[in-house]
Amino acid sequence: KGAPFYPRFSKLMLRLEAAGLTSYWTDNVIARRVRENRATTALDSQAPQGDTTQGAFYVLFLGYIVAFLTLLWEKVAHLRSSPQ
């Protein structure tokens, strides 16, 4: 609120609602989403289960290992370079 275009935008939204376009658009979007979900569910039931996320966990743990080794390398390099 307080924006210079707010009154025109509000009037446009009221006109779209009065014409029934908002409800038509909402119904259309919901129907399309339901169709997509049903199609995805049908494809998922044909795919092997469990193998899809296993690769993501491998990449995650590989990243953890690389980050940990980098941290150790930085600590060792810092200890060797700083005079005590």
Side-chain angles (χ1 to χ4, degrees), residues 5-31:
F5 56 84
Y6 183 74
R8 291 187 67 200
F9 184 76
S10 180
K11 185 187 287 186
L12 174 66
M13 290 302 294
L14 287 174
R15 290 175 69 189
L16 288 172
E17 184 67 37
L21 293 177
T22 306
S23 60
Y24 173 76
W25 177 77
T26 304
D27 293 342
N28 190 8
V29 168
I30 291 172

Side-chain angles (χ1 to χ4, degrees), residues 45-65:
S45 65
Q46 297 171 357
Q49 298 296 322
D51 294 338
T52 57
T53 58
Q54 190 174 8
F57 283 113
Y58 286 148
V59 172
L60 175 70
F61 288 121
L62 179 65
Y64 284 153
I65 291 170

Side-chain angles (χ1 to χ4, degrees), residues 47-83:
Q49 298 296 322
D51 294 338
T52 57
T53 58
Q54 190 174 8
F57 283 113
Y58 286 148
V59 172
L60 175 70
F61 288 121
L62 179 65
Y64 284 153
I65 291 170
V66 169
F68 181 71
L69 292 176
T70 304
L71 176 69
L72 286 178
W73 180 67
E74 287 180 356
K75 288 291 187 182
V76 169
H78 178 70
L79 287 175
R80 288 186 180 178
S81 66
S82 63

